[in-house]
Amino acid sequence: MRLRVLRLRDGLWQVWQTFRVNARKLRIVAMHAYMPGYRLVAGWAERHGHEIVLVVTPPTGANERYDKNATPFVVDLPRDANVLVTGQLRSIAAPVIESLLPDLVISAAFPRLIPSEILGIAKYGALNLHPSLLPTGRGPNPGRLVYEGATTVGATLHRTEQDFDTGAILSQRERPLPDDLDGPTLFAMWNEMLAECLEEGAARAVAGEPGTPQDPSKASEAPFYTDAECLIDLTEPVVTIRRRVAALNVTSPKARIRLDGAEETVRSVYGVPSDQQSSPGTVLERHADGWTVQAGDQPLRILTA
């Protein structure tokens, strides 16, 4: 009975600490190159009454790493946002950030190493959101984990260090992939989990928790796709093709198919029940928006971009 009471007290204390931390008005420096990353931090700040005192972003064009079809990041920011556009993080960004006396520096979709001159400024440190279950999937392309066969998708908030995605972990989420997986679904899952990680992990950072160090022996890297990896192999089973197309098309269609001697961009795919069997790659039917073709195990409906 005493143990149960102690556990209850510990739980209530954690709830109170989280409420107390979130009740403070914090000064936030946000570092992004892609609007969805900014929206995660801005939404969290608005919910808790925190103030984003500065948005730091690399020069226009850096957002193409995430979505080549997106408008330049700065164009979509609120008109009253204080924005610093620079690639000179040590000599320009660091002094400006220091002058603003921030409580937290938070990055999400920021494709630059953040130097120590910035990491040590904020009262409660620098944090980064990453869409994988670190230490797996470090690097610029965590969707590769799904592409290569992962059955779950994860998200992490960690303390920022001078190397990409290596800092102590403050919060994580992991969920199974749905059967009807596609790029937008995967993107929505990441957004939801990253928002949850920020809620939990930022409170821990402000409460003074150092986080859990990552185990380097479990680390894996997630580099960009090669051109060859973007070309769908129709000899593979439908479930594999669907997973690869979803991973490739998280932000904008990158998956390609080669049929009738020409390449087309693939928007989405799904299996079609049929007793008909042909050799993989055979076109079974042509449609105004794509084809039905034979994949490795069953017919595959392909919707073109």
Side-chain angles (χ1 to χ4, degrees):
M1 183 65 181
R2 183 165 178 259
L3 180 60
R4 187 175 301 171
V5 171
L6 287 174
R7 285 178 176 170
L8 178 60
R9 286 177 179 171
D10 288 344
L12 291 173
W13 174 251
Q14 289 176 354
V15 170
W16 166 244
Q17 281 289 87
T18 300
F19 172 78
R20 187 171 64 86
V21 165
N22 285 333
R24 301 178 189 174
K25 182 175 180 178
L26 304 176
R27 295 171 60 81
I28 310 297
V29 169
M31 304 183 72
H32 312 282
Y34 184 42
M35 184 53 63
Y38 168 79
R39 289 195 186 109
L40 281 167
V41 177
W44 165 80
E46 183 178 3
R47 286 192 298 275
H48 297 289
H50 304 323
E51 180 185 6
I52 296 180
V53 295
L54 181 68
V55 179
V56 180
T57 187
T60 301
N63 64 306
E64 292 180 2
R65 165 174 163 174
Y66 304 99
D67 184 354
K68 65 181 180 181
N69 298 318
T71 55
F73 171 68
V74 294
V75 173
D76 292 328
L77 285 171
R79 292 192 175 188
D80 59 350
N82 297 316
V83 186
L84 176 62
V85 180
T86 181
Q88 303 299 314
L89 297 181
R90 287 186 174 88
S91 59
I92 295 177
V96 174
I97 293 172
E98 186 172 21
S99 71
L100 294 170
L101 303 175
D103 295 300
L104 278 172
V105 170
I106 304 177
S107 57
F110 187 78
R112 300 284 190 276
L113 283 172
I114 300 176
S116 58
E117 288 85 349
I118 292 176
L119 298 181
I121 291 174
K123 182 177 180 180
Y124 302 112
L127 313 178
N128 180 61
L129 285 164
H130 186 73
S132 80
L133 202 69
L134 292 174
T136 60
R138 290 175 176 174
N141 185 26
R144 175 175 286 279
L145 300 178
V146 175
Y147 181 96
E148 293 180 348
T151 58
T152 63
V153 63
T156 302
L157 179 75
H158 64 95
R159 291 194 177 275
T160 311
E161 294 186 350
Q162 291 186 59
D163 292 326
F164 282 121
D165 309 323
T166 57
I169 292 168
L170 288 160
S171 54
Q172 290 190 312
R173 293 291 185 275
E174 183 179 22
R175 287 175 190 155
L177 293 173
D179 293 335
D180 58 344
L181 181 67
D182 59 16
T185 299
L186 184 54
F187 188 81
M189 291 178 70
W190 267 332
N191 266 342
E192 185 176 277
M193 289 187 292
L194 289 166
E196 292 175 6
C197 286
L198 184 54
E199 285 285 346
E200 177 184 326
R204 288 180 171 174
V206 176
E209 295 186 33
T212 303
Q214 296 186 35
D215 182 352
S217 68
K218 296 180 180 179
S220 64
E221 299 296 324
F224 291 118
Y225 301 114
T226 65
D227 284 342
E229 288 175 318
C230 294
L231 191 63
I232 299 305
D233 181 359
L234 291 173
T235 66
E236 294 184 314
V238 166
V239 65
T240 300
I241 294 173
R242 187 163 196 174
R243 189 184 67 242
R244 294 197 195 281
V245 170
L248 287 165
N249 290 357
V250 170
T251 54
S252 61
K254 300 182 185 70
R256 305 192 315 276
I257 200 83
R258 182 178 291 134
L259 287 172
D260 296 336
E263 285 190 8
E264 290 276 356
T265 301
V266 176
R267 177 162 51 92
S268 62
V269 298
Y270 58 89
V272 179
S274 174
D275 295 330
Q276 185 176 0
Q277 286 294 323
S278 302
S279 59
T282 301
V283 176
L284 304 177
E285 189 175 355
R286 288 175 171 82
H287 310 277
D289 58 354
W291 304 269
T292 298
V293 302
Q294 180 66 43
D297 60 345
Q298 70 180 93
L300 177 73
R301 179 72 164 91
I302 300 171
L303 302 176
T304 55

